[in-house]
Amino acid sequence: MLQKQTALSLEDVRAIQRAKARSEPELKTVVRPDHLPLSFAQERLWFLAQLDGASVVYNIPTARRLRGPLDIAAWRRSLDALFARHEVLRSVFVARDGRPEVRLLAADAGLPLAVHDLRNAPDAQAQLAMLQAEEAATPFDLAHGPLIRAHLIRLGEEEHVFLLTMHHIVSDGWSAGVLTRELNALYAAFREGRDAALPPLTIQYPDYAAWQRQWLAGERLTTQADYWRRTLAEVPTLLELPTDRPRPPQQDFSGAVLPIWLDAELTAGLKRLAQKHGATLFTTLLAAWAAVLARLSGQQDLVIGSPTANRGRREIESLIGFFVNTLALRIDLSGEPTVAELIARAQRIAVAAQDHQDLPFEQVVEIVQPPRSLDRASLFQVLFAWQNNERPAADLPELEVAPHATALPQVKFDLELILAEWNGTIAGGLGYATALFDAATIERHRGYLVALLRAMVADDRQPVMRIELLAPEERALQLTEWNRTEAPYPAKRCVHELFEEQVARAPDAIALVYEEQTLSYRELNARANRLARHLVALGVRPDDRVGLCVERSLEMVVGLLAVLKAGGAYVPLDPAYPAERL
């Protein structure tokens, strides 16, 4: 068990990474040739785009409702300034001799902004919904770009909806905070007719991509690769969760999100529990989520994906770009661990994974070589994201800014648990693939997680796999209501007589199916009657025993009914038995 005084928190790991960064090669500007290298993460998305064709799976849409006097000229100028400032937003990805390379669009090309005026439209909300749906369904062209676009929809004199969509190959979750912070500063300055005082960017994303390829090589690459090879050896690559529908032959990314909220009392209890065991809120919640998944799947060895910002160097903290990496966290729940023991396991796993986070996930997949299938994500199908980086709120002069629901929610995994600490509580959502799960099923999963967390806080010495997850009403439903199988049964009539009543009710309905053969109730009854008359002619009398030795087939059922109709009792004999036994 991990001892409190020696446990490393994720914050400790980040401090170690920053110290390590000071001994690493300098991240500096590279010469700008006609073509630039992709980062490892960008290269993976480019290859996926070549396999899947035009797709919206990796689009990152955001929508904001703006109320107040919006200066559209200043807004457009702010977006163009962002576009010019960040080279990654001007990146396009072209192939040369079958390999991808980056080319940059001109800094003065401007960010594409379409303005729509719906002030006098009688069906403004319907048109807004249609515009959102069209935007959500429009893929990007990686080779021509730009890979960011915007729509400004005017609904009233002082009411707008702003849609901004970026491709994941040029952005990530952290980037959204950078963009919001800089857009705040740019708009405030341009609205007042002055230049924005944003600090200059000493490096750009293409510099990072070149540095990454130079730095992650040789012994460093070998060490990272060896860790993941050992950790994920013989890893189970499919989490067999019970689903409401069979998995479609090709992964369906349509999804929905169920909100999750843990109140202040439970949040405080989880913090105390984590602190007691030298862990973090992230690893405590990871342990709980792993336990729920293990209970649902019946598997004790499972893998959960977890994104990490991967911004250990200060030079890249202010950049927009695709830095995020995904860690494959393998959780072992064997041996009846207590709550405390499972938290310690999760903490060790998370710390070790963070310490080896430099190897891009796409290279980890190549090392592990999991079976490839079009119907699911490789290596893991469940994600847990802990969003602990603060995202600045939109702070625009004289404007009230609020989120506006985006169209067509999508998920990249079967289940995606995304949580963050907010005002002394833990809040987030449980995303799910609607091709697999019903909303009612995910509501039960949410209930299991909350119940487990409460039990963990109440007693950290109990075996985590024995914690009661079912609410009393659900327990009664599963154990009592769903098992009420009693039905009125005519006790004075025999089985073959009940069968004959069914023949009278639906003579032409299909009664039997075996491979490509079928029999209706009328046909089955006629064949059974013929055989029954033959048995009576052979001397079968009531209560005689008649051996039935035949392979599973239509004839087996015909024979069974015939014996009963003749008044006898059938004795099933397996043709596979030795002759002496028969």
Side-chain angles (χ1 to χ4, degrees):
M1 181 174 141
L2 192 65
Q3 298 299 315
K4 178 179 177 181
Q5 59 268 29
T6 60
L8 287 176
S9 70
L10 296 186
E11 289 74 14
D12 295 331
V13 173
R14 293 191 182 97
I16 293 171
Q17 289 173 339
R18 286 193 291 269
K20 184 173 66 174
R22 289 192 289 270
S23 64
E24 293 170 354
E26 183 182 357
L27 206 171
K28 56 187 178 181
T29 303
V30 298
V31 177
R32 290 291 185 272
D34 292 337
H35 57 276
L36 294 163
L38 288 70
S39 69
F40 291 119
Q42 286 181 325
E43 189 173 61
R44 174 172 175 263
L45 283 197
W46 184 87
F47 278 117
L48 288 176
Q50 310 317 299
L51 291 173
D52 301 337
S55 170
V56 298
V57 172
Y58 288 98
N59 285 11
I60 304 176
T62 57
R64 295 289 183 267
R65 188 173 288 268
L66 311 175
R67 289 188 173 91
L70 177 66
D71 185 334
I72 296 180
W75 189 257
R76 186 187 293 274
R77 188 181 171 192
S78 301
L79 294 174
D80 288 345
L82 277 172
F83 189 73
R85 176 176 169 82
H86 291 275
E87 287 184 351
V88 71
L89 298 181
R90 297 187 276 115
S91 297
V92 294
F93 301 82
V94 298
R96 186 172 67 166
D97 299 328
R99 297 292 302 175
E101 59 185 36
V102 174
R103 293 181 184 170
L104 300 178
L105 300 176
D108 60 358
L111 190 153
L113 174 65
V115 179
H116 312 267
D117 193 343
L118 303 182
R119 283 177 292 179
N120 299 317
D123 54 349
Q125 292 302 318
Q127 289 194 45
L128 171 61
M130 184 179 67
L131 285 169
Q132 277 196 268
E134 288 177 354
E135 170 61 19
T138 302
F140 285 101
D141 182 344
L142 297 187
H144 296 92
L147 303 182
I148 180 172
R149 59 176 180 251
H151 293 261
L152 185 64
I153 302 141
R154 191 166 192 175
L155 300 174
E157 292 302 322
E158 294 192 350
E159 184 173 9
H160 298 77
V161 170
F162 177 62
L163 308 179
L164 183 70
T165 307
M166 294 183 283
H167 195 285
H168 200 0
I169 203 168
V170 299
S171 185
D172 57 17
W174 184 296
S175 299
V178 175
L179 189 147
T180 298
R181 185 165 49 249
E182 294 192 353
L183 185 59
N184 289 346
L186 289 166
Y187 178 75
F190 294 153
R191 185 174 176 273
E192 296 175 3
R194 56 183 175 83
D195 291 333
L198 290 177
L201 296 176
T202 57
I203 62 164
Q204 294 277 353
Y205 189 87
D207 302 315
Y208 164 78
W211 173 87
Q212 183 192 45
R213 290 183 173 275
Q214 177 188 14
W215 176 75
L216 193 59
E219 183 180 350
R220 187 177 291 107
L221 176 61
T222 301
T223 300
Q224 296 262 336
D226 286 346
Y227 167 81
W228 290 110
R229 187 177 291 109
R230 290 192 311 271
T231 300
L232 300 177
E234 299 180 1
V235 66
T237 56
L238 177 61
L239 186 62
E240 297 278 7
L241 294 171
T243 60
D244 296 302
R245 284 168 292 282
R247 189 179 292 276
Q250 187 158 355
Q251 189 176 2
D252 188 330
F253 297 98
S254 300
V257 179
L258 187 72
I260 292 181
W261 181 71
L262 308 181
D263 60 37
E265 181 182 359
L266 179 54
T267 299
L270 289 169
K271 285 184 173 181
R272 289 193 299 271
L273 178 64
Q275 186 177 21
K276 177 181 177 181
H277 297 287
T280 63
L281 264 179
F282 166 75
T283 49
T284 303
L285 293 164
L286 173 67
W289 184 224
V292 170
L293 295 173
R295 298 281 287 273
L296 289 171
S297 66
Q299 296 173 225
Q300 294 184 333
D301 184 8
L302 50 90
V303 181
I304 300 173
S306 183
T308 178
N310 199 27
R311 297 203 185 215
R313 300 185 65 99
R314 293 193 181 278
E315 304 100 305
I316 61 178
E317 290 183 355
S318 58
L319 291 183
I320 293 173
F322 184 18
F323 295 93
V324 67
N325 196 11
T326 305
L327 305 178
L329 304 178
R330 186 176 186 177
I331 312 292
D332 175 18
L333 292 101
S334 63
E336 290 281 323
T338 64
V339 169
E341 289 167 346
L342 183 58
I343 291 174
R345 291 183 191 182
Q347 181 73 5
R348 285 196 297 269
I349 291 161
V351 168
Q354 286 277 344
D355 202 33
H356 296 85
Q357 68 170 314
D358 301 307
L359 192 69
F361 175 70
E362 49 277 7
Q363 294 195 22
V364 173
V365 173
E366 291 303 315
I367 290 170
V368 178
Q369 290 289 311
R372 304 281 182 156
S373 178
L374 294 176
D375 65 353
R376 63 180 184 269
S378 296
L379 203 54
F380 53 79
Q381 296 80 46
V382 175
L383 188 81
F384 173 45
W386 177 245
Q387 297 181 334
N388 57 350
N389 56 306
E390 292 186 9
R391 293 193 179 185
D395 183 16
L396 302 168
E398 298 187 47
L399 289 176
E400 177 187 336
V401 183
H404 183 77
T406 54
L408 299 176
Q410 292 192 319
V411 293
K412 297 179 180 64
F413 302 94
D414 296 354
L415 294 175
E416 298 180 353
L417 178 62
I418 301 175
L419 298 175
E421 188 177 359
W422 182 75
N423 284 350
T425 66
I426 294 172
L430 181 53
Y432 61 96
T434 51
L436 300 177
F437 300 102
D438 291 332
T441 299
I442 303 304
E443 287 178 6
R444 289 197 297 273
H445 291 180
R446 176 179 62 181
Y448 302 153
L449 177 61
V450 174
L452 186 73
L453 290 169
R454 293 191 185 282
M456 289 171 62
V457 169
D459 182 4
D460 61 1
R461 296 169 297 177
Q462 60 183 320
V464 72
M465 299 299 282
R466 297 186 188 179
I467 292 174
E468 178 58 64
L469 300 184
L470 299 181
E473 57 273 15
E474 185 178 353
R475 186 175 182 83
L477 178 67
Q478 292 194 18
L479 298 183
T480 305
E481 294 300 321
W482 287 351
N483 283 300
R484 293 188 189 279
T485 56
E486 66 271 15
Y489 188 81
K492 294 185 178 181
R493 287 200 293 280
C494 298
V495 170
H496 65 280
E497 293 173 328
L498 295 173
F499 170 75
E500 289 166 352
E501 291 178 5
Q502 177 63 20
V503 173
R505 284 193 296 269
D508 296 319
I510 298 298
L512 275 182
V513 177
Y514 177 71
E515 294 182 346
E516 302 300 321
Q517 308 171 65
T518 63
L519 285 179
S520 69
Y521 279 98
R522 189 200 312 274
E523 293 167 334
L524 176 57
N525 193 51
R527 290 178 60 172
N529 284 341
R530 284 196 299 271
L531 183 55
R533 286 193 292 270
H534 181 66
L535 291 173
V536 170
L538 291 175
V540 173
R541 297 290 181 265
D543 296 331
D544 283 353
R545 287 169 292 176
V546 179
L548 189 62
C549 183
V550 64
E551 299 283 354
R552 184 179 291 270
S553 60
L554 299 182
E555 287 72 20
M556 182 187 75
V557 181
V558 170
L560 184 154
L561 282 170
V563 171
L564 296 177
K565 284 172 175 279
Y570 67 90
V571 180
L573 302 172
D574 191 336
Y577 288 165
E580 296 80 1
R581 182 171 181 184
L582 289 173

